[in-house]
Amino acid sequence: GQQVMQIPQYQHVQEGEDFTTYCNSSTTLSNIQWYKQRPGGHPVFLIQLVKSGEVKKQKRLTFQFGEAKKNSSLHITATQTTDVGTYFCALPNAGGTSYGKLTFGQGTILTVHP
Amino acid sequence: DAGVTQSPTHLIKTRGQHVTLRCSPISGHKSVSWYQQVLGQGPQFIFQYYEKEERGRGNFPDRFSARQFPNYSSELNVNALLLGDSALYLCASSYGPTGELFFGEGSRLTVL
Protein backbone atom coordinates (compact mmCIF):
# COMPACT_ATOMS: atom_id res chain seq x y z
CA GLY A 1 0.00 0.00 0.00
CA GLN A 2 0.87 3.66 -0.20
CA GLN A 3 3.48 4.75 2.32
CA VAL A 4 4.47 8.23 3.42
CA MET A 5 7.49 9.32 5.41
CA GLN A 6 7.65 12.76 6.97
CA ILE A 7 10.80 14.11 8.60
CA PRO A 8 11.87 15.33 11.02
CA GLN A 9 9.45 14.21 13.71
CA TYR A 10 10.34 17.16 15.92
CA GLN A 11 11.99 20.50 15.30
CA HIS A 12 12.87 23.04 17.95
CA VAL A 13 13.96 26.46 16.72
CA GLN A 14 14.66 29.89 18.10
CA GLU A 15 12.29 32.56 16.90
CA GLY A 16 13.66 33.99 13.68
CA GLU A 17 15.31 30.77 12.53
CA ASP A 18 14.12 28.89 9.46
CA PHE A 19 12.28 25.56 9.47
CA THR A 20 11.81 22.85 6.86
CA THR A 21 9.79 19.64 6.89
CA TYR A 22 10.01 16.98 4.20
CA CYS A 23 7.48 14.47 2.94
CA ASN A 24 8.33 11.43 0.83
CA SER A 25 5.92 9.05 -0.86
CA SER A 26 6.51 5.51 -2.02
CA THR A 27 4.37 6.19 -5.10
CA THR A 28 4.06 8.96 -7.67
CA LEU A 29 1.40 11.42 -6.60
CA SER A 30 -1.28 13.26 -8.51
CA ASN A 31 -1.13 16.00 -5.91
CA ILE A 32 -0.18 16.63 -2.30
CA GLN A 33 -1.77 18.70 0.43
CA TRP A 34 -0.35 20.32 3.55
CA TYR A 35 -2.18 20.92 6.81
CA LYS A 36 -1.29 22.65 10.09
CA GLN A 37 -2.64 21.59 13.46
CA ARG A 38 -2.16 23.92 16.42
CA PRO A 39 -1.79 22.29 19.86
CA GLY A 40 -5.24 21.17 20.98
CA GLY A 41 -6.73 22.12 17.64
CA HIS A 42 -7.80 20.52 14.41
CA PRO A 43 -5.98 20.27 11.07
CA VAL A 44 -6.31 23.34 8.87
CA PHE A 45 -5.66 23.19 5.14
CA LEU A 46 -2.65 25.18 3.96
CA ILE A 47 -2.17 24.36 0.29
CA GLN A 48 -2.44 21.81 -2.50
CA LEU A 49 0.35 21.22 -5.01
CA VAL A 50 -0.40 19.60 -8.34
CA LYS A 51 2.32 20.24 -10.91
CA SER A 52 5.75 18.64 -11.09
CA GLY A 53 8.37 21.02 -9.68
CA GLU A 54 5.70 23.43 -8.48
CA VAL A 55 6.72 26.09 -5.93
CA LYS A 56 4.10 28.12 -4.11
CA LYS A 57 4.55 30.82 -1.51
CA GLN A 58 2.28 32.05 1.23
CA LYS A 59 4.00 34.95 3.01
CA ARG A 60 6.84 33.25 4.93
CA LEU A 61 5.82 29.73 3.87
CA THR A 62 7.26 28.12 0.73
CA PHE A 63 5.88 24.84 -0.56
CA GLN A 64 7.62 22.70 -3.14
CA PHE A 65 6.56 19.62 -5.10
CA GLY A 66 9.35 17.41 -6.42
CA GLU A 67 10.03 16.94 -10.10
CA ALA A 68 9.16 13.26 -9.83
CA LYS A 69 6.02 14.08 -7.80
CA LYS A 70 7.10 11.72 -5.03
CA ASN A 71 8.27 14.26 -2.48
CA SER A 72 7.41 17.68 -1.14
CA SER A 73 8.71 20.20 1.35
CA LEU A 74 7.42 23.05 3.45
CA HIS A 75 9.86 25.79 4.41
CA ILE A 76 9.14 28.58 6.87
CA THR A 77 11.41 31.60 6.82
CA ALA A 78 12.08 33.49 10.06
CA THR A 79 9.77 31.50 12.29
CA GLN A 80 7.43 33.22 14.73
CA THR A 81 5.74 31.87 17.84
CA THR A 82 2.50 31.76 15.86
CA ASP A 83 4.05 29.05 13.66
CA VAL A 84 3.97 26.56 16.54
CA GLY A 85 2.07 23.39 15.72
CA THR A 86 2.24 20.13 13.82
CA TYR A 87 2.61 20.22 10.06
CA PHE A 88 1.21 17.29 8.09
CA CYS A 89 1.52 16.36 4.48
CA ALA A 90 -1.45 14.45 3.09
CA LEU A 91 -1.45 12.20 0.06
CA PRO A 92 -4.47 11.37 -2.08
CA ASN A 93 -5.47 7.74 -2.50
CA ALA A 94 -3.34 5.92 -5.03
CA GLY A 95 -6.33 4.39 -6.75
CA GLY A 96 -9.07 1.82 -6.43
CA THR A 97 -11.75 2.44 -3.85
CA SER A 98 -11.72 5.15 -1.19
CA TYR A 99 -11.53 7.83 -3.85
CA GLY A 100 -11.43 10.77 -1.47
CA LYS A 101 -9.17 9.22 1.14
CA LEU A 102 -6.14 11.16 2.32
CA THR A 103 -3.15 9.43 3.86
CA PHE A 104 -1.53 11.75 6.37
CA GLY A 105 2.13 11.74 7.24
CA GLN A 106 3.25 11.35 10.84
CA GLY A 107 3.67 15.10 11.09
CA THR A 108 6.49 17.39 12.16
CA ILE A 109 6.01 19.06 15.52
CA LEU A 110 7.46 22.56 15.47
CA THR A 111 8.23 24.43 18.66
CA VAL A 112 9.50 27.99 18.55
CA HIS A 113 11.39 29.48 21.47
CA PRO A 114 10.98 33.25 21.83
CA ASP B 1 -20.76 30.99 7.78
CA ALA B 2 -20.61 28.09 10.22
CA GLY B 3 -17.77 25.66 9.83
CA VAL B 4 -17.92 21.93 10.39
CA THR B 5 -19.60 21.22 13.70
CA GLN B 6 -19.16 18.06 15.73
CA SER B 7 -20.82 16.77 18.86
CA PRO B 8 -20.14 15.88 21.53
CA THR B 9 -16.76 17.56 22.01
CA HIS B 10 -15.68 15.25 24.81
CA LEU B 11 -17.04 11.99 26.11
CA ILE B 12 -16.00 9.17 28.40
CA LYS B 13 -17.18 5.61 27.90
CA THR B 14 -16.31 2.23 29.35
CA ARG B 15 -15.16 -0.83 27.47
CA GLY B 16 -17.94 -2.64 25.66
CA GLN B 17 -20.18 0.40 25.38
CA HIS B 18 -21.37 2.00 22.17
CA VAL B 19 -20.83 5.58 21.00
CA THR B 20 -22.42 7.81 18.36
CA LEU B 21 -20.59 10.88 17.09
CA ARG B 22 -22.30 13.51 14.98
CA CYS B 23 -21.10 15.90 12.32
CA SER B 24 -22.67 18.73 10.37
CA PRO B 25 -20.72 19.76 7.27
CA ILE B 26 -20.28 23.24 5.91
CA SER B 27 -23.41 24.33 4.08
CA GLY B 28 -23.24 23.19 0.47
CA HIS B 29 -20.61 20.53 1.11
CA LYS B 30 -21.72 17.09 0.01
CA SER B 31 -18.80 14.98 1.22
CA VAL B 32 -18.13 14.00 4.80
CA SER B 33 -15.10 12.03 5.91
CA TRP B 34 -14.23 10.63 9.30
CA TYR B 35 -10.70 10.35 10.65
CA GLN B 36 -9.28 8.94 13.85
CA GLN B 37 -6.31 10.72 15.38
CA VAL B 38 -4.42 9.00 18.15
CA LEU B 39 -2.15 11.23 20.23
CA GLY B 40 1.12 11.90 18.46
CA GLN B 41 0.02 10.58 15.07
CA GLY B 42 -1.55 11.89 11.91
CA PRO B 43 -5.25 11.44 11.23
CA GLN B 44 -6.22 8.00 9.91
CA PHE B 45 -9.02 7.62 7.39
CA ILE B 46 -12.10 5.75 8.59
CA PHE B 47 -14.93 6.51 6.13
CA GLN B 48 -15.98 8.85 3.38
CA TYR B 49 -19.56 9.55 2.37
CA TYR B 50 -20.44 11.52 -0.72
CA GLU B 51 -23.98 12.22 -1.84
CA LYS B 52 -25.19 9.91 0.93
CA GLU B 53 -23.29 6.91 -0.35
CA GLU B 54 -20.24 5.30 1.19
CA ARG B 55 -17.33 6.09 -1.11
CA GLY B 56 -14.46 4.79 0.96
CA ARG B 57 -13.62 2.74 4.00
CA GLY B 58 -10.33 2.64 5.84
CA ASN B 59 -8.69 -0.25 7.63
CA PHE B 60 -10.99 -0.31 10.65
CA PRO B 61 -12.99 -3.22 12.08
CA ASP B 62 -16.69 -3.73 11.46
CA ARG B 63 -17.38 -2.26 14.90
CA PHE B 64 -17.07 1.08 13.12
CA SER B 65 -19.98 2.18 10.96
CA ALA B 66 -21.27 5.44 9.61
CA ARG B 67 -24.02 6.97 7.56
CA GLN B 68 -24.90 10.23 5.87
CA PHE B 69 -28.33 11.76 6.05
CA PRO B 70 -30.33 13.61 3.35
CA ASN B 71 -29.15 16.95 4.77
CA TYR B 72 -25.53 15.69 4.39
CA SER B 73 -24.91 15.48 8.13
CA SER B 74 -23.27 12.29 9.30
CA GLU B 75 -22.97 9.92 12.22
CA LEU B 76 -20.09 7.68 13.18
CA ASN B 77 -20.97 4.70 15.35
CA VAL B 78 -18.53 2.55 17.25
CA ASN B 79 -19.71 -0.63 18.98
CA ALA B 80 -18.07 -2.74 21.65
CA LEU B 81 -15.58 -0.03 22.57
CA LEU B 82 -12.00 -1.00 23.33
CA LEU B 83 -9.38 0.95 25.23
CA GLY B 84 -7.55 1.47 21.95
CA ASP B 85 -10.50 3.37 20.52
CA SER B 86 -9.56 6.32 22.72
CA ALA B 87 -8.72 9.08 20.27
CA LEU B 88 -9.78 12.34 18.69
CA TYR B 89 -12.40 11.66 16.04
CA LEU B 90 -12.34 14.25 13.32
CA CYS B 91 -15.02 14.96 10.80
CA ALA B 92 -14.08 16.76 7.60
CA SER B 93 -16.26 18.08 4.82
CA SER B 94 -15.58 19.07 1.25
CA TYR B 95 -17.73 20.22 -1.63
CA GLY B 96 -16.74 17.36 -3.90
CA PRO B 97 -15.35 13.88 -3.27
CA THR B 98 -11.75 15.10 -3.37
CA GLY B 99 -9.87 18.27 -2.61
CA GLU B 100 -9.36 20.50 0.39
CA LEU B 101 -10.79 19.15 3.63
CA PHE B 102 -12.39 21.39 6.24
CA PHE B 103 -12.08 19.76 9.64
CA GLY B 104 -14.29 20.16 12.67
CA GLU B 105 -12.91 20.60 16.18
CA GLY B 106 -13.27 16.89 16.79
CA SER B 107 -14.84 14.64 19.39
CA ARG B 108 -12.39 13.44 22.00
CA LEU B 109 -13.33 9.94 23.13
CA THR B 110 -11.85 8.36 26.23
CA VAL B 111 -12.54 4.68 26.85
CA LEU B 112 -11.94 3.45 30.39
Side-chain angles (χ1 to χ4, degrees), chain A residues 9 33 35 37 40-45 48 88 97-107, chain B residues 33 35 37 40-43 45 48 55-58 88 90 97-101 103-105:
Chain A
Q9 188 175 0
Q33 297 180 17
Y35 290 79
Q37 186 172 21
H42 58 281
V44 174
F45 175 83
Q48 177 170 289
F88 293 99
T97 58
S98 300
Y99 185 57
K101 168 187 174 182
L102 288 180
T103 299
F104 282 78
Q106 301 91 329
Chain B
S33 299
Y35 286 80
Q37 187 175 28
Q41 297 183 17
F45 176 79
Q48 184 195 23
R55 295 299 185 100
R57 174 185 286 255
L88 180 67
L90 293 161
T98 61
E100 173 185 356
L101 294 181
F103 283 90
E105 298 283 347

Side-chain angles (χ1 to χ4, degrees), chain B residues 11-76:
Chain B
L11 67 166
I12 299 174
K13 294 285 188 177
T14 56
R15 281 177 296 175
Q17 284 190 312
H18 161 270
V19 68
T20 297
L21 308 178
R22 296 178 175 83
C23 172
S24 292
I26 291 172
S27 177
H29 284 194
K30 300 179 180 181
S31 172
V32 170
S33 299
W34 288 94
Y35 286 80
Q36 180 196 65
Q37 187 175 28
V38 175
L39 196 62
Q41 297 183 17
Q44 291 226 322
F45 176 79
I46 310 176
F47 286 108
Q48 184 195 23
Y49 279 79
Y50 178 66
E51 288 285 20
K52 291 152 280 184
E53 290 186 6
E54 183 183 302
R55 295 299 185 100
R57 174 185 286 255
N59 188 24
F60 281 81
D62 291 343
R63 300 184 295 108
F64 289 75
S65 64
R67 55 180 175 168
Q68 187 176 34
F69 298 99
N71 66 353
Y72 299 107
S73 67
S74 178
E75 279 183 359
L76 175 69

